[in-house]
Amino acid sequence: MPERRTVALVTLGCARNEVDSEELAGRLEADGWQLVEDATDADVAVVNTCGFVEAAKKDSVDALLEANDLKGHGRTQAVVAVGCMAERYGKELAEALPEADGVLGFDDYSDISDRLQTILNGGIHASHTPRDRRKLLPISPAERQGAAAGVAIPGHGPHDGAVAEAASGSVAVVEPEQAPADLPDGLAPASGPRAPLRRRLDGSPVASVKLASGCDRRCSFCAIPSFRGSFVSRRPSDVLNETRWLAEQGVKEIMLVSENNTSYGKDLGDIRLLESLLPELADVDGIERVRVSYLQPAEMRPGLVDVLTSTPKIAPYFDLSFQHSAPDVLRAMRRFGDTDRFLELLHTIRSKAPEAGVRSNFIVGFPGETEADLAELERFLNHARLDAIGVFGYSDEDGTEAATYDRKLDEDVVAERLARVSRLAEELVAQRAEERVGSTVRVLVEAVDGEEGAYGRGEHQAPETDGQVLFTSGEGLSVGRIVEAKVVGTEGVDLVAEPLVGSVACTEEAAR
């Protein structure tokens, strides 16, 4: 009997990439590949790259080179690039990085097993040729759902029935259920299974679920729509079925991800579809928390704010993409809003949920940004009381409108402003954490380690980006439990909390 082929998936970038890697893992395992964690144990190392900003691109290249160094020293025979950087640059990346034995785009995902086998056998698969994926679907959102069947969209495509038949029980192959009764007519899935193959790559009690892909916004600094394509929603039944399957795998919290969750449903005939779907997700047996990420401030609706702040098991969490607050800079970014309107939105949120978590990212040093603009951003930050702040210095991105702008700032000016706002942000999020001392937080336990202690995340903290809750004691705690704890101190953005007496026992009894 031939030795089983082995493959390792190395994932960089955002949670959307993590979902894509688990889809690739499901396809590969269903076709007979053995998934291994360490690239040194793999015949093929697949690096799911990020192509967002220069730092992310460098990390992706470094990961490919690191995997390439394994060749000749262990089992690894081939290194393959997939993901956003591979999709965005294709042949250009292949020519610049001959160490990669293959550069595959999104169109290759449905045939990933054959592609890797060809490369492993010493064959050559033509490197992906980049194209503007916005042109693959109709301009009108209402016409996209039918056309999307012929376009590769990671995390969306129906699985291959023949592949699904060979899938093991650890791979998500779920039959469609009826769409929730309160959703618009015509949104029930077509006959036959629609959920993509998926195989979990870790045992975390948290998992991301792709709500949509692509983006119709035309922010002047962002290249993502060109390689991720136009906005396409997943059908509610597919999202629900994948959530049910994840719950069966032991997942307690799901995080809904896309390039823009506030647009969900506009191509399905109901821009308020998210407000209907969220309670259905919260009712899935086994799911204790639902978190929504990637929200556009200009698209926030009163009804969505209400659902996010008042629905049991829906985290009152707002990942709002502000990017700046000075009106002139926002207009140059092709965005909307200003300091006062953003503060008004935050006031509305906190009037309904005083302890709501809010995070955002900001770009400083944008072309034409003045000292007055920067001061306006600092005014906003000082009043916004954000729980987590990401700050990036502007740099040109290939193919974006902003790359053609005049009035570019010198690199040293951008670096100085980045350092200045980053220092302010660090002080402000630490202050915001201190405001929570004395409060009670509901914490999902994510690790209980004898050496590192126990930690988890409150409702106001998303995975990877927003800090953690560090427990004063791990006694009685177990991964995947939600416990109530009193905040007794802080360590920067992190909270230090003491589990409340009876909270652990009650939670474990409820779980049984």
Side-chain angles (χ1 to χ4, degrees):
M1 184 175 180
E3 188 174 6
R4 198 173 185 189
R5 304 163 295 177
T6 57
V7 59
L9 284 150
V10 179
T11 306
L12 294 95
C14 65
R16 299 180 297 257
N17 256 16
E18 294 172 4
V19 175
D20 293 348
S21 285
E22 294 197 349
E23 176 191 340
L24 292 174
R27 291 182 180 279
L28 289 166
E29 185 170 84
D31 203 43
W33 292 77
Q34 179 182 350
L35 298 166
V36 295
E37 292 185 11
D38 195 331
T40 58
D41 300 324
D43 296 315
V44 183
V46 177
V47 179
N48 192 347
T49 60
C50 178
F52 180 42
V53 293
E54 286 304 318
K57 296 174 200 174
K58 182 181 183 303
D59 289 344
S60 295
V61 171
D62 289 345
L64 288 164
L65 292 174
E66 182 178 344
N68 181 70
D69 289 341
L70 298 175
K71 290 191 292 189
H73 301 284
R75 180 162 182 157
T76 308
Q77 301 174 52
V79 176
V80 175
V82 299
C84 291
M85 190 175 180
E87 175 65 36
R88 184 176 180 184
Y89 294 105
K91 290 181 177 180
E92 182 181 344
L93 176 63
E95 293 170 359
L97 198 69
E99 291 85 352
D101 298 287
V103 176
L104 307 180
F106 298 152
D107 293 336
D108 293 304
Y109 281 21
S110 61
D111 298 311
I112 188 68
S113 178
D114 289 343
R115 300 288 187 264
L116 297 191
Q117 188 62 60
T118 295
I119 294 168
L120 186 60
N121 291 343
I124 297 175
H125 179 71
S127 297
H128 164 66
T129 300
R131 53 181 171 169
D132 189 339
R133 299 192 74 85
R134 291 171 294 191
K135 298 178 180 179
L136 301 182
L137 292 172
I139 294 176
S140 169
E143 299 175 4
R144 288 181 193 158
Q145 285 291 317
V151 176
I153 305 176
H156 285 234
H159 62 262
D160 184 316
V163 173
E165 189 175 350
S168 71
S170 64
V171 180
V173 184
V174 286
E175 297 292 332
E177 303 285 340
Q178 288 294 320
D182 57 350
L183 296 182
D185 292 338
L187 294 188
S191 60
R194 289 187 57 87
L197 288 167
R198 179 169 181 174
R199 200 271 199 187
R200 297 217 67 206
L201 293 174
D202 62 40
S204 170
V206 185
S208 295
V209 174
K210 192 167 283 191
L211 191 64
S213 285
C215 186
D216 289 341
R217 302 185 72 88
R218 293 297 179 262
C219 301
S220 62
F221 56 84
C222 183
I224 290 176
S226 66
F227 56 85
R228 277 289 184 178
S230 299
F231 185 88
V232 180
S233 303
R234 291 183 71 194
R235 289 180 176 271
S237 53
D238 291 344
V239 178
L240 278 163
N241 282 320
E242 190 166 339
T243 298
R244 293 186 183 108
W245 176 79
L246 288 167
E248 292 172 358
Q249 306 299 307
V251 169
K252 299 300 180 183
E253 175 180 330
I254 63 163
M255 184 167 73
L256 300 178
V257 299
S258 75
E259 280 72 23
N260 178 9
N261 280 334
T262 32
S263 282
Y264 180 69
K266 72 176 186 179
D267 52 328
L268 293 172
D270 185 359
I271 191 60
R272 295 176 179 81
L273 191 53
L274 183 56
E275 288 94 303
S276 301
L277 177 60
L278 284 172
E280 298 285 346
L281 292 170
D283 283 344
V284 171
D285 288 342
I287 295 299
E288 297 295 333
R289 180 185 292 166
V290 178
R291 185 182 303 277
V292 184
S293 62
Y294 304 111
L295 300 169
Q296 285 290 340
E299 298 181 27
M300 288 300 295
R301 304 174 293 276
L304 180 56
V305 173
D306 288 343
V307 170
L308 289 171
T309 54
S310 65
T311 308
K313 295 188 180 181
I314 303 296
Y317 175 80
F318 293 81
D319 177 10
L320 294 163
S321 178
F322 289 122
Q323 301 300 343
H324 213 284
S325 72
D328 289 345
V329 176
L330 286 168
R331 300 304 175 269
M333 289 178 168
R334 303 295 185 199
R335 297 178 67 83
F336 305 93
D338 56 45
T339 295
D340 292 335
R341 274 187 277 185
F342 291 163
L343 291 176
E344 183 179 355
L345 172 60
L346 295 178
H347 174 74
T348 298
I349 290 169
R350 290 178 175 133
S351 68
K352 298 175 182 294
E355 298 302 317
V358 186
R359 71 155 285 114
S360 191
N361 293 325
F362 300 89
I363 298 173
V364 297
F366 195 79
E369 181 191 63
T370 65
E371 278 290 342
D373 293 328
L374 193 66
E376 183 68 2
L377 173 59
E378 290 172 327
R379 180 172 82 89
F380 171 69
L381 292 174
N382 276 300
H383 288 85
R385 297 170 58 230
L386 302 179
D387 292 278
I389 301 170
V391 187
F392 300 87
Y394 173 82
S395 62
D396 287 340
E397 281 295 316
D398 299 333
T400 62
E401 180 184 353
T404 69
Y405 284 178
D406 296 326
R407 301 177 65 201
K408 298 279 180 62
L409 304 185
D410 291 341
E411 289 185 6
D412 58 343
V413 174
V414 176
E416 186 278 328
R417 292 184 179 185
L418 173 61
R420 170 177 156 184
V421 177
S422 294
R423 286 193 299 270
L424 175 62
E426 187 175 345
E427 294 172 3
L428 292 173
V429 296
Q431 290 175 17
R432 178 62 177 142
E434 290 172 1
E435 291 179 18
R436 294 187 182 273
V437 173
S439 67
T440 299
V441 290
R442 297 185 74 248
V443 186
L444 174 63
V445 181
E446 294 190 312
V448 180
D449 188 287
E451 296 182 359
E452 297 184 6
Y455 59 86
R457 287 177 302 101
E459 291 180 317
H460 70 287
Q461 298 167 315
E464 307 295 335
T465 58
D466 297 349
Q468 299 172 324
V469 175
L470 311 174
F471 290 106
T472 56
S473 170
E475 184 177 356
L477 300 179
S478 59
V479 173
R481 296 284 188 256
I482 288 186
V483 301
E484 290 191 345
K486 182 177 181 179
V487 180
V488 296
T490 65
E491 293 184 8
V493 70
D494 294 332
L495 305 181
V496 179
E498 179 180 317
L500 295 179
V501 176
S503 171
V504 177
C506 290
T507 305
E508 291 182 340
E509 181 64 30
R512 287 195 291 269

